[in-house]
Amino acid sequence: MNESNDVFIARGPVLIAGAAINGSTVDIAVDETGTIAGIGEGIRREHDADVIIDGSDRLAFPGLVNTHTHAAMTLLRGYGDDMPLQEWLSQKIWPLEAHLTGDDVYAGTRLACLEMIRSGTIAFNDMYFFMDRAAQAVDDMGIRATLAYGFIDLGNVEKREAEIKATESLVTRIKSLANPRIRAAVGPHSVYTVSPEGLSWCADFAREQEIGIHVHLSETEKEVVDCVAQFGKRPAAHLDDCGCLTPRTVAAHCCWLDEAECRLLGKRGVSASHNPASNMKLAVNRAMPYHWLKQHGANVALGTDGCASNNNLDLMEEMKFAALLQKFAWNSPTLLSAGEAVAMATTAGARALGTGPGTLIVGAPADIILLDSRAVCNTPLHHADSNAVYACNGGAVMTVLCQGRVLMHEREVAGEEEIVREAAAAAQALVGRAREAA
Ligand SMILES: [Zn+2]
């Protein structure tokens, strides 16, 4: 067994020796519970660590939080691109998803976790199917996740009963795991796929269970127009009338919100998940009104969306997309600074999912990533946030700790080859089954 394997197995105290935070070189001590116990110079002398990680030439950042994913869609990466949304869904995505199994979701979610770890993400907010198998993958990989079953009733009473059962059983299953890294949420898909009765049930159940709500909101103009035609109000007001806008709610996309809806999200303490790469790829034709959401106090976080519409889970890249799209769409070079992009991916994400403060402070969970300060993208190093957002991608992340456990060290993740091989085989078999049935 080589030295780097010990790093992955160790469960005791960890010391990151001599890493840079905001320009100063400090040691970071992590206790056996995975909490940051000390940050400062000279801590290493008094700290009794099982694992010492050399922090020289490393910049320490809080681990990143991806607030909107469909993780197992990694299996659909690159299967269909450059198509109109409806055609893409009906010709490519849905025919394949119809053949998806629990084993596929396990393999695809493990691949997603691997990809997120390799690009500095330590927590994600997921909505999909076979979520008990997603939970198993998350458990294996050591990352954090909030998992929701994608609730879609299409106004059909029988389907609603089935979705209620599926949601209840997932929440029971996840609570029974008693893994503090894995939480359940309720996942009403959107106002155009879930009836008002279904949305109200989701809101009530989430409140009873004290868990989050994960919903798509105002991704396209069609969603807004149809919602107004059917219910006489815009999507955010409709969700609010059904009780779905709460401080535990993460609303993905939010592209077509008007200012009154942004004010409503702020008032309700909702987290909005900005998904710039997916929005540009699917040409939703409007960028999230970040300035209004910020002005009205909504918590604006960052997400990649599923791998079929991105096509990766690299939140470092997503920070750049967010900062660039906002500037371009709203014609303002000062909108969404590098520092704000980092905050969206760290503190705002952590607040959205309730995973801690999302900063490197004593008492916080040791969710820490180390970037290579000698990498080309970090040279010269005038501003660490600027380089992280505008110059680097996930390839600059060298080491990842989640709750004090080392998930990647010097770009090595335990079991990586097998995870990639199994996911590739699962994706190939899935396409084969779909072709046979067609
Ligand atoms: Zn989505």
Side-chain angles (χ1 to χ4, degrees):
M1 183 180 289
N2 65 35
E3 210 186 336
S4 60
N5 280 330
D6 296 336
V7 167
F8 300 125
I9 292 161
R11 292 288 183 279
V14 176
L15 181 75
I16 300 171
I21 300 180
N22 300 327
S24 40
T25 301
V26 294
D27 301 331
I28 306 170
V30 177
D31 69 19
E32 62 286 344
T33 70
T35 304
I36 298 177
I39 300 178
E41 283 175 50
I43 283 176
R44 71 184 78 177
R45 279 193 300 276
E46 58 202 60
H47 191 75
D48 190 18
D50 283 6
V51 173
I52 297 179
I53 292 170
D54 183 4
S56 48
D57 299 328
R58 299 289 177 262
L59 307 170
F61 274 78
L64 309 181
V65 180
N66 189 342
T67 54
H68 183 59
T69 58
H70 310 285
M73 289 185 90
T74 47
L75 298 188
L76 280 61
R77 187 192 331 262
Y79 181 65
D81 300 302
D82 315 317
M83 295 170 75
L85 178 61
Q86 278 311 315
E87 249 174 64
W88 174 73
L89 285 171
S90 60
Q91 292 174 16
K92 289 288 181 177
I93 303 302
W94 292 337
L96 220 56
E97 282 185 340
H99 294 273
L100 209 63
T101 66
D103 287 344
D104 292 335
V105 168
Y106 176 75
T109 306
R110 279 218 302 175
L111 180 67
C113 292
L114 173 63
E115 185 177 5
M116 286 189 270
I117 291 165
R118 290 187 62 78
S119 47
T121 291
I122 53 83
F124 65 106
N125 190 34
D126 204 41
M127 180 202 290
Y128 211 52
F129 319 109
F130 301 106
M131 295 307 282
D132 54 322
R133 303 302 306 280
Q136 194 188 349
V138 173
D139 196 24
D140 289 354
M141 297 299 289
I143 190 172
R144 298 180 192 278
T146 300
L147 305 175
Y149 169 77
F151 186 113
I152 295 176
D153 70 9
L154 304 171
N156 176 312
V157 178
E158 270 171 36
K159 181 135 174 71
R160 179 155 65 248
E161 289 308 315
E163 297 298 83
I164 287 172
K165 282 209 175 64
T167 300
E168 287 174 336
S169 100
L170 176 70
V171 173
T172 304
R173 171 99 187 91
I174 286 180
K175 289 197 167 177
S176 76
L177 294 175
N179 180 338
R181 289 186 288 99
I182 306 178
R183 297 177 188 199
V186 178
H189 177 271
S190 63
V191 298
Y192 59 92
T193 51
V194 186
S195 65
E197 294 81 5
L199 291 171
S200 296
W201 182 86
C202 287
D204 291 345
F205 187 65
R207 192 177 54 243
E208 262 169 42
Q209 297 288 322
E210 299 178 320
I211 58 178
I213 297 173
H214 185 180
V215 64
H216 295 92
L217 174 60
S218 287
E219 181 175 4
T220 63
E221 187 174 25
K222 182 179 185 324
E223 174 182 339
V224 177
V225 170
D226 291 353
C227 185
V228 170
Q230 194 176 356
F231 303 110
K233 52 201 165 186
R234 295 176 65 91
H238 181 52
L239 277 186
D240 194 43
D241 286 347
C242 296
C244 285
L245 297 187
T246 76
R248 294 170 282 101
T249 303
V250 178
H253 300 299
C254 296
C255 307
W256 284 88
L257 297 182
D258 68 11
E259 188 170 6
E261 291 180 292
C262 292
R263 198 178 304 120
L264 180 59
L265 261 60
K267 197 169 149 194
R268 297 282 184 260
V270 170
S271 293
S273 177
H274 189 22
N275 302 168
S278 169
N279 296 159
M280 287 191 281
K281 189 172 186 237
L282 295 171
V284 301
N285 202 25
R286 189 168 187 262
M288 163 195 271
Y290 170 73
H291 50 296
W292 286 337
L293 286 164
K294 186 183 157 188
Q295 185 189 332
H296 295 297
N299 181 45
V300 186
L302 202 56
T304 56
D305 205 355
C307 239
S309 59
N310 186 301
N311 291 7
N312 67 30
L313 303 173
D314 186 338
L315 215 62
M316 298 277 291
E317 286 188 0
E318 208 71 32
M319 291 195 291
K320 180 173 182 173
F321 284 131
L324 298 190
L325 175 61
Q326 287 297 325
K327 287 170 175 64
F328 182 78
W330 301 102
N331 192 25
S332 169
T334 59
L335 191 60
L336 218 173
S337 66
E340 283 175 65
V342 171
M344 281 170 79
T346 56
T347 50
R351 181 176 148 196
L353 302 193
T355 56
T359 52
L360 301 183
I361 54 168
V362 172
D367 295 342
I368 305 168
I369 61 176
L370 301 178
L371 271 56
D372 184 1
S373 65
R374 291 281 185 93
V376 169
C377 69
N378 267 322
T379 307
L381 190 55
H382 296 304
H383 300 289
D385 283 356
S386 169
N387 283 354
V389 173
Y390 292 123
C392 293
N393 61 26
V397 179
M398 302 301 292
T399 294
V400 173
L401 280 78
C402 180
Q403 194 74 49
R405 274 195 58 195
V406 180
L407 303 185
M408 178 168 80
H409 187 50
E410 297 298 307
R411 294 205 62 72
E412 188 188 332
V413 180
E416 179 162 354
E417 276 177 38
E418 183 220 338
I419 294 164
V420 169
R421 197 169 49 237
E422 281 190 1
Q428 203 182 356
L430 174 63
V431 172
R433 290 199 299 279
R435 285 220 178 104
E436 254 170 54

